[in-house]
Amino acid sequence: MSAPLEIVILAAGQGKRMYSDMPKVLHGLAGKPLLGHVLDTARVLKPTAIHVVYGHGGEQVRAAFPQADINWTHQTEQKGTGHAVAQAMPQVTDQATVLVLYGDVPLIRPQTLQELLSAAGNGIALLTAELDHPGPYGRILRNASGRVIRIVESKDASPEEAKVREVNTGFLAAPAGKLKKWLAGLKNHNAQGEYYLTDIISMAVAEKVTIVTHAPGDIAEILGVNSKPELAQVERMHQKQQAEKLMQQGVTLRDPARLDVRGELTCGRDVVIDVNVIFEGKVSLGDRVQVGPNNVIRDSTVGDGTVIHPNCVIEQTDIGADCRIGPFARLRPETKLAAHVHVGNFVEVKKSEVAEGSKMNHLSYIGDTTVGRNVNIGAGTITCNYDGANKHRTVIGDNVFVGSNTALVAPVTVGANATIGAGSVITNQAPAGELTLSRAPQVTKPGWKRPAKKE
Ligand code: UD1
Ligand code: CA
């Protein structure tokens, strides 16, 4: 039987170079905190425990992740990565394999970690990478026969050691029992006066523990976030990966560099997405959906064959098949549009159900409303759903024609097949099949003259 897996996530750093009052690991990547990405990745590995070592902005960090599957360990003072891991160890069983992750290295993939764990066996596995410019990373030092013997931090490296291009990414897997002992023996006699996690390597070597290395599939996986430019870089890489995945699945992206998916986007076949579209939360697009430029779509579903013209804002809305939305439409939460519905420019729909084939093409507000089938809502129609204290519903039957510039003062019902004359203010029920209008009759004053300016 293989050892149980316990994951330790280091997240105590302040992130000085973010120049922010918010703890570093709470900064957003694709709409989710950095630490959230790492936690989600950790969960994919089905560990028996997840330990998060937190420090700066402690309560804020904990409050952002109320999930019960996290063991929080406070590191009061940041004395180095070895010290940080040691804070979690009293809660870790000796039989476990410990996997160390970082709250500010969000693009690491579960598959890479799985490979790292498989490589570790009963020994230590280090995730390492070859870099042309190894810069601030710890260097992997090997002996003549190629075995890892030590990691030296760049600040402690001799000029010769600094030339080594194989670097420590920080990710490692190690047996818990031995790790506890090694961590207890760490010294901080180094350039930074810190307890280095990396110093366990030479201790393990002295005990003849096997040390293997493994490389990530993609260099983006190991990038840490220490500043806003790095955050933006990681965001771009993440977006590029998501765009790539969508295109691999058959989605046409007019420009993969101008798409942002901040959540989960699923697409049917032959979907076309134009530039500058932002998807937030959970969005699903059916077959043959076309999304024009400059749309923001959040937590919504879009049916087969629907076209979303440019510049719409769509939130918590279910759109049926073959609808035409926009340009410049706003669909607000709890809206359901059936098939073949048209919502045109400068139309806002909120908390309403619209049945098949109905159209509202210009300058309307439809809120708290039930709209029947094949209804035509004229330009400038407003449902007056709010009396200053409470919200009320409007019910519009099948085949109704609402003339332009009508105010429907809720609660109000318009019966099936009714016609409302343009410019009406409807405050009482409008009976089915009849023409109802409330405007004053048109008058002409013969010979009337406009006032003239006084001399
Ligand atoms: C560490 C590695 C280095 C590696 C690099 C990869 C050590 C000693 N060095 O260096 O070999 O190349 O990562 O990025 O491990 N943290 C805490 N508490 C602490 C100290 C750090 O939670 O007391 C967290 C930080 O928030 C950060 C991570 O651990 O997320 C790494 O710490 P950092 O000080 O940045 O390590 P590096 O110097 O980058
Ligand atoms: Ca770092």
Side-chain angles (χ1 to χ4, degrees), residues 232-425:
Q233 186 193 14
V234 166
E235 174 81 33
R236 257 317 95 207
M237 286 183 157
H238 177 65
Q239 293 301 345
K240 199 176 147 206
Q241 284 169 5
Q242 296 195 102
E244 188 66 34
K245 205 155 72 182
L246 288 166
M247 292 189 294
Q248 294 291 357
Q249 293 164 359
V251 176
T252 301
L253 299 178
R254 291 291 179 223
D255 182 357
R258 284 183 286 170
L259 168 76
D260 286 88
V261 180
R262 301 173 189 159
E264 222 178 283
L265 173 65
T266 52
C267 293
R269 292 174 79 82
D270 297 304
V271 166
V272 179
I273 301 172
D274 213 318
V275 299
N276 297 332
V277 178
I278 300 175
F279 294 98
E280 298 180 331
K282 261 197 170 158
V283 175
S284 92
L285 307 179
D287 294 341
R288 301 176 308 284
V289 167
Q290 295 178 37
V291 182
N294 307 320
N295 277 293
V296 179
I297 306 178
R298 177 186 309 143
D299 292 318
S300 296
T301 63
V302 182
D304 295 347
T306 285
V307 178
I308 299 175
H309 292 294
N311 298 297
C312 298
V313 179
I314 298 171
E315 185 182 0
Q316 281 179 49
T317 294
D318 290 333
I319 302 174
D322 301 307
C323 291
R324 298 286 172 274
I325 309 297
F328 300 101
R330 177 156 185 226
L331 301 178
R332 292 174 50 202
E334 296 182 59
T335 294
K336 270 185 190 314
L337 309 181
H340 298 282
V341 166
H342 292 191
V343 178
N345 36 225
F346 309 107
V347 174
E348 174 180 349
V349 185
K350 185 218 86 173
K351 205 172 181 179
S352 296
E353 299 93 53
V354 180
E356 196 166 335
S358 291
K359 299 180 173 67
M360 43 199 80
N361 274 326
H362 330 267
L363 303 158
S364 284
Y365 171 65
I366 302 297
D368 301 297
T369 299
T370 303
V371 180
R373 299 160 73 96
N374 299 318
V375 168
N376 196 310
I377 297 201
T381 297
I382 306 292
T383 56
C384 310
N385 59 333
Y386 184 54
D387 60 14
N390 296 299
K391 296 273 170 70
H392 302 283
R393 285 199 78 80
T394 299
V395 178
I396 301 173
D398 293 346
N399 304 308
V400 163
F401 181 97
V402 180
S404 295
N405 199 31
T406 292
L408 298 164
V409 182
V412 71
T413 299
V414 180
N417 300 298
T419 302
I420 305 294
S424 293
V425 177

Side-chain angles (χ1 to χ4, degrees), residues 17 24 102 104-105 136-137 224-226 230:
R17 286 192 286 137
K24 178 160 78 173
Y102 298 85
D104 57 0
V105 187
Y137 285 94
V225 173
N226 297 296
E230 286 173 4

Side-chain angles (χ1 to χ4, degrees), residues 121-205:
N122 298 321
I124 294 178
L126 299 170
L127 193 71
T128 70
E130 292 272 343
L131 298 183
D132 290 337
H133 304 284
Y137 285 94
R139 308 297 201 271
I140 305 291
L141 304 182
R142 295 175 184 267
N143 65 14
S145 47
R147 291 194 187 281
V148 175
I149 48 164
R150 193 158 67 89
I151 297 176
V152 64
E153 289 305 295
S154 77
K155 285 183 178 144
D156 301 290
S158 68
E160 216 36 52
E161 290 166 339
K163 283 184 194 149
V164 171
R165 288 174 42 233
E166 187 186 8
V167 303
N168 174 35
T169 65
F171 293 96
L172 66 80
K178 291 186 172 120
L179 181 59
K180 284 182 188 178
K181 192 184 66 186
W182 297 326
L183 290 173
L186 288 179
K187 300 274 186 306
N188 64 350
H189 305 150
N190 51 53
Q192 303 181 77
E194 289 181 3
Y195 297 94
Y196 290 163
L197 174 61
T198 44
D199 283 350
I200 66 161
I201 299 305
S202 49
M203 298 179 183
V205 167

